[in-house]
Structures are given as structure tokens and as C-alpha cells.
Amino acid sequence: MNSEYEVVIGLEVHVQLTTATKIFCGCSTAFGNAPNAQTCPVCLGLPGALPVLNRQVVENAIRTGLATDCRIAPRSIFARKNYFYPDLPKGYQISQFELPICEHGHLDIPLDDGTSKRIGITRIHMEEDAGKLQHGETPATADSSFVDLNRACTPLLEIVSEPDMRSADEAITYLKKLHQMVKALQVCDGNMEQGSFRCDANVSIRPWGQAELGTRAELKNINSFRFIKQAIEYEVERQADVLESGGKVIQETRLFDSTSGTTRSMRGKEEAHDYRYFPDPDLVPLVIDADWIERVRDALPELPEAKRARFVRDYGIPAYDAGVLTQNHEVSSYFDTTVAAGADPKQASNWIMGEVQRRLNDAGSEISAAPVDPAMLAGMLKRIADKTISGKIAKTVFDEMWKSGTDADTIIEAKGLKQVTDSGAIEAIINDVIANNAPQVADYRAGKEQLLGFFVGQVMKASKGKANPAAVNDMLKKKLQE
Amino acid sequence: MSLTDLTLSELHDKLRTKELSSVEVTRAYLERIAAHNAALNIYLTERPVEALRDAEAADRRIAAGEAAPLTGIPLALKDLLVTEGIRTTCGSKLLENFIPPYNGTAVHKLRDSSAVLLGKLNMDEFGMGSSNENSAFGPCRNPWDRERVAGGSSGGSAACIAARLAAASLGTDTGGSIRQPASHCGAVGLKPTYGRVSRYGVVAYASSLDQVGPVTRTVEDSALLLQTIAGYDRADSTSIDCPVPDYRAALRNDLKGVRVGLPKEYFIDGLDPEVQRTVASAIDVLRDLGAEIVHVSLPHTDYAVACYYLIATAEASSNLARYDGVRYGRRVTGEGGLIEMYNRTRGAGFGDEVKRRIMLGTYALSSGYYDAYYLKAQKVRTLIRQDFLDVFAQVDVLATPVAPTPAFRLGEKGADPLQMYLSDIFTIPVNLAGTCGLSLPCGFAAGKLPIGLQLIGKPFGEDALLGVGHAYQQATDWHKQQAEL
Ligand SMILES: [Zn+2]
């Protein structure tokens, strides 16, 4: 990347809320139904129909605002954003312009050097989504476009950051943190392929030391973290080239093309919008009293940062483990539940970050779909702790649990995997091993103590893994010194 | 006396006692509509077959002893009220064949009480006009003089009362659209307080001003009809949850202790002398009934028309954006792409006045002009509202003319939109203030042209307004005069 310029990035993120119904009518927000099956006079924009605000949408906006330390406006208003497009049934989008619900917040992101950086959140506002256009796919319909209004009127939050990010990596860190947060808050499912979490990036560059911002380009249509990084990096290079060759960056909207990894200008008709915002006379000002805000605050789920601190403090697991486990809301709940079911926290952390995660990665599935649930994992970890099975045997048990969905105790019983802790039985095996390996015994006694591992291995092998390794260790040492 | 001469309350009594059947009354109205509608152009859509079916259902309900106040009463609706399965044109070519899949709240309440629906009434396109000449289906004519306008935009709603083509009707009023035509046609027109009647299913012209209201022969009828349609509605966020009083119980016969204010800004030089004289005698009647007459001032009245034409057109420019030919209504296809389809559809579908107001409103909201026009107008609106609140600290109701002149000739003001806009000068401030206004017949200009008296009430003071209007009608018989067809 060109190092003569400082990169300045601000992000606008559209978060689709997980409310059961739309923002201004009672239609379902479920994804994937037949076109226009989830519509009514309101979301079709029929003459005479009127919007009624969904209270849950406001609640979710307040949640998100509190989690980002925003000021929640005691009075906010909805505005109409006027433009014509076939996927916009009323000819305007109901959004917020002046007096949005949340303002003046921030999100702290971790930097590579271990410090953290505060990214300002300018505002968060509520708005309705538009429908979808589909172009004809058969020869008979090749010239036609079809309008599906199932998505029209679906609730969105637009989260607008300050231009506080200085690299594509910072932008990605911010986005990932925001993504984690809205999922943890249970306001958004975070599904980027379905468009539940979409991002526009405002990118500009300026010579180092210059105070005023350079002219920015708005990059639209980016739906994965990887593409956002690509789009920003491409755009920074492009702007640097423009400046280097004596040109001027013009303020414009650019579309990211994921196949070429480039951005292209949308200049022309689409650009020349005057949205003629004005307060929507069909909706009264939204008044939020302090009690409501406090009720939402009290019900706020634990956010990743707080959870991480709690895992270290209450469970005594390393900060690294806590960081990994809290990256994903489902994973951290899985961990919490496993520990609550009686598992040793460090053991639980090791197994979740190790075996569980590995198998999920292989299967390409999510932890919510894991065949071993927290209770089953905890059940197995308890058998390690009470020495019913060894850590080694546990791998076999876990494997079987994953395949069959059966609990650990049943598997241990059925397969006879119970660890041998009977010292008489172990002693007999040890005696055999010592008798059969006289040269090694002599070497050990002559000072080659690293041979202990060899003996342990032999004993474990002879016991088919069922001997308690600690007991084997102790008794071997004793016997070999005799 | 013919069946179509009975008032709504008389009909209600006779239906309930089974002295009359709804089928008989409905048939009488249908015959009269068949005989006179062609000449007057009051109905845009008639329902001869379905109305009789409604009437039969109403008679069954009455027989079962389950009559509601409007059961079996033949009513008609301004074609701006959305009716399930019944064509709703809004007086526009664009919606000429639009059949809505749902009922608005007010319509639903009427249907729920088993009122008979005779049909849909002529109006200025999307409610924009003061003469009904802006209807895409030709002007509705004034039953008192067919060469004169019925007023607008609810011309059909008022004319059907004067012509006895419905027992009562609903209109909508954004800047005088119920009261001005009621005045021109000798009917009683009530614009309720903003938020009193749900706007759900009322096709929006200017959302912050629109209100549905009854047009009737008597004040008592107005009280009856308002009783059914008034009330809070969850589906309209701007409707207000405030108890609905018993309006009929509020009707009175004298005006002792009532303070009636005369705002000096409403009695101006440009007022037609006959209007001036007629309204003055009406005020004398109020005084004779015991009212105390108080001279008051509404100092920002002069700015009301300008303020209205900024706010109403701004909202209209956005409200009418949905008529784009994509989902319903008329679509004009042809060469070119999407933008061309929009242009052709809206170009052919909207009339001149609608286009004029969309352009005015678009301009007022444009970046760079918003503060100077729309925002300034909102500030003025606040001052106008405050004028009314101040005055209502001194008086109970205001009495004013409804319109500066009686009904004018068809085509007389067509060339000059500004002249036309001034015909709502006394009614517009009431919408801006969001309060209620009642227009009732108070005399005639030479040549038998009705003149109306406007009574303006406090927000949610419809009961007081109807009380004063009823007392006036007990002392006068202007409302009993009939247009000869
Ligand atoms: Zn809907």
C-alpha cells in the first residue's frame, strides 16, 4: 500500500433485525418464502394504508445504542426519503434523518500492538428495507423484471461510524466486533450471505500530517469481510494513483465488483438524488422515557468483552482461551453451559477449542448443531476428573459420543473402557513388564531415567489403555527403584 | 313526503320500529339515482344490485333485534375512501380501474353496523380542488344550479345530500373539502379534529391535514354518523386515544352561557355582500338563542393559505409517489425503460392540478429550499395553531363564513388557480390548527344559492360544536329547504 498517504475510513453498516414481524406492519420477516407471500396493504404501499411502528424494533435499537454507549434520544422522529424505484412500493423509504434514536456512541477495537482504539459511532437509526427485483430467467420472461416485496418493510438499523479507521485491517476489526456484538445482543442473526449484515465504506486518503479530510468515495454492495478488505485496499490504491498523476478524487458512489476485486463509478442518474427528506406525517414522534431505557439496560445480555473478563475472573482460564471462546456467542454459551454442568473450566476450554472445534471445522457446521451437547461433554469431563477414564481413553469416548450421540457413561459401560485403578491389577502388569524387559530395567537403574516413558507405554499397552496413567507412573517409579 | 326526504335520524327510528324496511328506502334512493345521476354526475360508481343485498341483510339484522344506529341507512362515500372489492378511483384516471383488497377503518365501521352502501362519489382528483372540476370523470354539478360548481373536493358528498341521492355521506377535508361544498350545496358538513377519525384506508392527499367527516342534512344526523366513525384506531398512529362522548346527548336547544367568538380577520372587505349579510343574521340568531358574542382576533390568518399550499403540496408530492404504474393502477407502456414508463404513466394518469401540486411540493422540499419553504411553513403553522388555542381560552366556539362567495359558475375560476385557492381562505386555518369545524346552511343568495355558516370548535370539541349547530337548526329552517331537480 502506498505509504505517502494516510487512509481514512468510515463505515455505514446495515443490520437487519431479527424481529418476528416487519417494522411497520404485522407481516412475517421469515426468509425464503414464495414471492409476495408475506405482504399486506401497508408493505405493498396500497393507497390509504398507514405504518404502525413495531415496538420490538425500538427495543432492539435501544439495546444496540446502549451496547455502543450511545445517547438514546428521548424524542426521535421518522422521515421520508423520497426516490423512485420499483422495489420501493411507496416511492419513499421511511427512515430517520434529523433526530435519530441513537447518537454519540463508540466501540473500542483491539489493535495488533495490544492496545485498543476507540471508534466513534455517529448515529444509529431505524429504517425499513426495500423489496427485491428479479429479472426474468426464461426466454419468455427475459425482458421482464419481477418485484418481490417480502423483504419490503423489514426492519434495519443503520450504524454510522465516525471516519476513525486508518486501515482496511482496522475496518475489518471494527466490523467483526460489531458483527459479534449485534449477534450477542440477539438483535441480528449476522447472516451476511442473506444480507442481514451489510456494509458501505466511505474511503478517502490524505497526505500525512494534513488535517482536513480528503474527498471520499462511498463503496457500496459489499457483503463479506474479505470483500470489504479487498474493496478498501483497491480504492486506496486507486485514489493514490489519481493523486499521483496530478488528478483530483471526486466524491462519488462506487460499486464493488467481487469478481474483479475492483470498484467502479455509479456516476449518472443514480447519483443525482435529492432525497427531499421530511418528517413522516403518518408517524408521531417516538418518545422514549428513562424507565424504558433502564428496563432495556437491565435486560441487556452480557457482551463479549464483559464475558471474556468474567471467564478469566470466575473460571480462572487463561485470557487467550477466554478471547477465543467469546469470539462467537454460541461458542461462549456452549462453554458456559458445559462449566455449569460441572465440568472443570480449563478442561472444558481445552476440549471446546480443540476436539469440538476441529470436528465442527471438518464438518463445516456450527456449534449449535454439534452432536455432543454441553451436558454430554461435561459428563465425559467429569469421568476424566474422577479418574474413571484417562485422557487418552476420553478421545475414544468422545469420538463415539460424536458419532452416536450417546452419553459418556453409557459408552464407557458398554465398551468396558473403565480405567483400571485397582493397584493389584496394575502391579501384576508392571511386574510382567519389568520381568520381560530386563536390559531396559538395567539401563534405567544405571541412570537412564528417560526410559520411564517406555515402561509407562508398555504398561498402558498391556492394559489396553485402561490403566490409570498417574497410578502407573507412581508404581513404576517405586518398582524400578526397588 | 317521499322516503328520500327523511333525515338519517328519522330513518333510523322508522327502520327500528319496522315502519319502513331498508329495502324500501334503498329502492327509493336507487330509483332517484337512476333518474338524476346522469345530469348531476354525483356518483362515479353505483351499486344498484349490491346495495339491495346490503339492505336485505340489514333488514334481517333489524328483524333479529340487533340494529345498530346506522343499520339499513343508505349511505354513499367519497371515492377517496378505500372499499374492499369496490372500485376506488380517487377521481383519477390513474386509478380508474383500481379495486382495493381491503376496507379502511371508517368504511369497516359502517359495514360493521350494516349500513347500506349506495356507491362512490365524485370528487376533485386526489382531493385537490375546490370545485370538483378537477375530477377526471367530469365535474359534479350543484343540484341548486347545474351551471354552478358543487364545491370541492368532496363535491359528490355534498351534492348527494342536496339532491337527496343518499341519506348521508362521508367526505374528507384537508383544507375545507367537506365544509366548502357543504356550504355551496346547503348541507351540513363536519370536519372532525385531527386524530378523531382514523385515516386508515383514506387515500392520502396531505397526511397531517386530512380528516374524514360526515356530510348530512341536519346537525343531529352529523352527530349520529360521527358517533359510529369516531375513535382511536391502532392502525393509524396519528389517531388519538381520547374518549368519544355521546354526541347526540350533547345536542341542545338554547345557547345560554355559550360564548361565540367572531374573529375579525374572517369578516373582510372582499367578502361577498350576501355572504356577509347572511352570516350576520345567523350570528343574530345565535345571540337570540342566548349566546354571548365576543369579538376576537386570529392574527396569523393572513398566512394560512400560503402555509397550507406549502405543507399540503409537500406532503402530496411524497404521498402520490406510489402511483408509479408498477404494482396497481394504470400503467402506460411503450418505448424506453423504467424512467420513461414512470413519466408516461404519471404524465397520462394525473390531471393538471395534481401535477401542479406535485411540482410545488417537490420544489418546497428540495435541498436548498426546504428551510425557506417547508420549515418556515411549519413554524407558521405552529403560530396559527397557537392563535386558536389562545382564542379558545376566551370563547367556546367561533362563528365565521365558510367561503367568501356562494357557489361560482363552472369554468369561472378554472383559468386562475390562485383565485380558486382563495375560496378555502376561511376553512384552511382549521386544518392547520388541527381542530374541528362545522358548516351548516344559514341562508341563500339571490337565485337560491345556499350559504353556509362555519362554527369552529376546540380540539375534540365536536360535542360543543354540534350542540350549538343543533340549537341553530331548531330556530331556523334553512336546512329544510330543498333543491328542485
Ligand atoms: Zn405487511
Side-chain angles (χ1 to χ4, degrees), chain A residues 22 25-27 38-44:
Chain A
K22 295 184 177 181
C25 65
C27 293
Q38 289 158 200
T39 56
C40 71
V42 176
C43 56
L44 288 173

Side-chain angles (χ1 to χ4, degrees), chain A residues 163-481:
Chain A
D164 285 347
M165 285 150 278
R166 294 290 174 269
S167 69
D169 287 331
E170 280 186 23
I172 300 300
T173 308
Y174 166 83
L175 282 173
K176 284 191 170 160
K177 176 132 193 212
L178 194 62
H179 185 248
Q180 251 180 49
M181 192 197 77
V182 293
K183 281 176 37 179
L185 288 171
Q186 291 163 343
V187 300
C188 172
D189 66 15
N191 190 322
M192 295 179 85
E193 292 88 64
Q194 287 174 9
S196 301
F197 189 91
R198 327 195 270 268
C199 169
D200 298 341
N202 289 312
V203 178
S204 67
I205 60 174
R206 62 182 169 191
W208 288 100
Q210 178 182 305
E212 67 267 33
L213 295 173
T215 308
R216 69 189 154 89
E218 187 180 5
L219 311 183
K220 280 200 180 286
N221 196 29
I222 334 180
N223 62 0
S224 83
F225 293 127
R226 190 163 58 91
F227 291 159
I228 289 157
K229 188 168 158 74
Q230 262 184 36
I232 292 173
E233 284 174 352
Y234 174 84
E235 183 58 21
V236 167
E237 285 301 319
R238 188 191 69 82
Q239 292 185 13
D241 287 349
V242 169
L243 295 183
E244 292 295 296
S245 58
K248 270 177 125 177
V249 174
I250 44 174
Q251 186 167 336
E252 62 180 347
T253 303
R254 299 181 68 87
L255 271 187
F256 176 67
D257 180 348
S258 58
T259 38
S260 64
T262 61
T263 66
R264 65 181 166 78
S265 175
M266 276 180 64
R267 262 193 314 271
K269 276 179 188 164
E270 300 115 307
E271 186 72 352
H273 279 316
D274 175 357
Y275 290 119
R276 291 176 284 120
Y277 281 102
F278 76 107
D280 190 336
D282 287 333
L283 290 161
V284 291
L286 171 64
V287 175
I288 299 172
D289 58 29
D291 278 1
W292 190 2
I293 296 174
E294 287 320 305
R295 278 200 306 278
V296 175
R297 196 193 301 276
D298 290 346
L300 219 51
E302 189 180 27
L303 290 175
E305 226 159 67
K307 198 173 271 184
R308 185 157 46 237
R310 175 169 62 86
F311 284 179
V312 172
R313 186 185 66 233
D314 294 358
Y315 296 154
I317 63 170
Y320 172 81
D321 288 24
V324 173
L325 292 170
T326 53
Q327 257 167 33
N328 176 305
H329 174 65
E330 280 77 33
V331 173
S332 63
S333 314
Y334 188 100
F335 171 72
D336 248 339
T337 318
T338 307
V339 174
D344 171 68
K346 179 59 189 159
Q347 284 288 331
S349 165
N350 287 349
W351 278 81
I352 293 169
M353 285 161 49
E355 286 301 310
V356 174
Q357 208 55 57
R358 185 156 41 247
R359 275 160 222 260
L360 290 174
N361 290 347
D362 291 349
S365 68
E366 299 289 325
I367 200 159
S368 52
V372 174
D373 67 21
M376 289 163 69
L377 179 60
M380 188 196 80
L381 295 178
K382 276 190 276 186
R383 292 301 157 256
I384 299 177
D386 68 14
K387 302 195 165 67
T388 307
I389 55 172
S390 65
K392 186 151 183 278
I393 288 292
K395 294 243 162 78
T396 313
V397 174
F398 185 80
D399 210 45
E400 189 57 30
M401 285 182 6
W402 194 272
K403 273 190 233 146
S404 64
T406 317
D407 67 87
D409 285 345
T410 312
I411 293 168
I412 293 166
E413 194 59 47
K415 300 214 160 192
L417 297 172
K418 205 162 188 173
Q419 182 163 256
V420 180
T421 44
D422 170 4
S423 56
I426 295 175
E427 195 173 355
I429 297 174
I430 288 175
N431 287 341
D432 279 357
V433 168
I434 289 177
N436 295 339
N437 296 283
Q440 286 86 348
V441 173
D443 287 352
Y444 180 88
R445 287 182 174 152
K448 242 182 150 185
E449 288 187 2
Q450 62 268 42
L451 276 171
L452 181 65
F454 164 80
F455 293 110
V456 172
Q458 291 297 310
V459 173
M460 293 307 288
K461 195 169 153 195
S463 77
K464 298 199 174 66
K466 288 190 282 181
N468 181 329
V472 171
N473 241 316
D474 286 353
M475 288 174 73
L476 258 176
K477 275 188 193 162
K478 240 184 264 165
K479 285 267 172 199
L480 286 168
Q481 278 159 12

Side-chain angles (χ1 to χ4, degrees), chain B residues 42-380:
Chain B
I42 290 173
Y43 280 87
L44 296 179
T45 301
E46 298 169 35
R47 302 178 75 237
V49 177
E50 299 88 339
L52 278 174
R53 233 180 273 143
D54 288 353
E56 285 161 9
D59 283 332
R60 282 195 297 274
R61 183 164 165 176
I62 293 166
E66 291 161 5
L70 299 177
T71 305
I73 308 278
L75 303 176
L77 304 173
K78 184 178 187 178
D79 212 12
L80 199 66
L81 292 152
V82 170
T83 44
E84 182 177 355
I86 306 168
R87 186 174 81 128
T88 301
T89 69
C90 303
S92 179
K93 260 189 265 178
L94 216 147
L95 294 180
E96 187 165 3
N97 299 307
F98 175 61
I99 297 176
Y102 77 106
N103 276 328
T105 302
V107 174
H108 179 78
K109 287 179 167 183
L110 297 182
R111 303 300 269 165
D112 230 32
S113 73
S114 302
V116 174
L117 182 50
L118 293 169
K120 304 294 291 288
L121 300 163
N122 205 347
M123 56 179 285
D124 284 303
E125 186 175 7
F126 288 105
M128 300 181 190
S130 309
S131 68
N132 215 130
E133 291 168 296
N134 297 332
S135 167
F137 307 104
C140 162
R141 288 166 185 269
N142 192 319
W144 293 91
D145 179 348
R146 290 178 195 186
E147 296 314 308
R148 291 184 184 260
V149 302
S153 64
S154 311
S157 306
C160 76
I161 302 305
R164 271 48 182 172
L165 297 192
S169 69
L170 291 185
T172 67
D173 190 316
T174 306
S177 284
I178 286 176
R179 291 159 289 158
Q180 186 256 24
S183 168
H184 287 351
C185 292
V188 175
L190 174 65
K191 194 234 46 115
T193 307
Y194 188 77
R196 177 78 293 178
V197 180
S198 171
R199 291 188 300 113
Y200 190 74
V202 180
V203 178
Y205 157 22
S207 315
S208 74
L209 300 158
D210 296 341
Q211 205 39 209
V212 180
V215 188
T216 55
R217 290 185 204 159
T218 66
V219 171
E220 186 182 10
D221 288 1
S222 191
L224 268 168
L225 192 41
L226 179 64
Q227 197 76 50
T228 297
I229 62 171
Y232 173 68
D233 179 14
R234 265 204 80 238
D236 173 4
S237 310
T238 63
S239 82
I240 293 173
D241 196 357
C242 150
V244 179
D246 182 343
Y247 293 116
R248 222 172 168 190
L251 302 180
R252 49 193 295 169
N253 295 317
D254 68 63
L255 297 178
K256 288 195 186 75
V258 176
R259 293 162 303 167
V260 175
L262 307 182
K264 66 173 191 227
E265 294 81 4
Y266 285 60
F267 296 89
I268 47 171
D269 290 344
L271 202 57
D272 177 282
E274 293 203 82
V275 171
Q276 169 91 56
R277 178 182 54 73
T278 312
V279 170
S281 354
I283 290 161
D284 289 340
V285 173
L286 299 179
R287 186 185 288 113
D288 293 346
L289 284 164
E292 181 195 343
I293 307 296
V294 184
H295 291 274
V296 296
S297 170
L298 296 163
H300 296 94
T301 302
D302 271 359
Y303 304 104
V305 172
C307 175
Y308 172 85
Y309 277 97
L310 287 168
I311 292 172
T313 58
E315 292 179 5
S317 72
S318 175
N319 283 333
L320 272 62
R322 67 187 63 193
Y323 309 110
D324 57 5
V326 172
R327 295 164 309 284
Y328 50 78
R330 186 169 174 177
R331 177 191 297 174
V332 187
T333 51
E335 289 295 302
L338 182 66
I339 305 285
E340 289 72 20
M341 187 279 279
Y342 285 157
N343 288 344
R344 263 193 306 271
T345 296
R346 292 167 67 82
F350 290 139
D352 287 349
E353 183 60 28
V354 171
K355 286 179 193 161
R356 181 179 294 121
R357 295 194 194 189
I358 289 174
M359 284 189 281
L360 278 171
T362 302
Y363 187 80
L365 290 176
S366 295
S367 84
Y369 299 97
Y370 180 88
D371 288 2
Y373 294 120
Y374 182 79
L375 205 61
K376 181 67 75 61
Q378 290 293 358
K379 289 176 181 167
V380 173

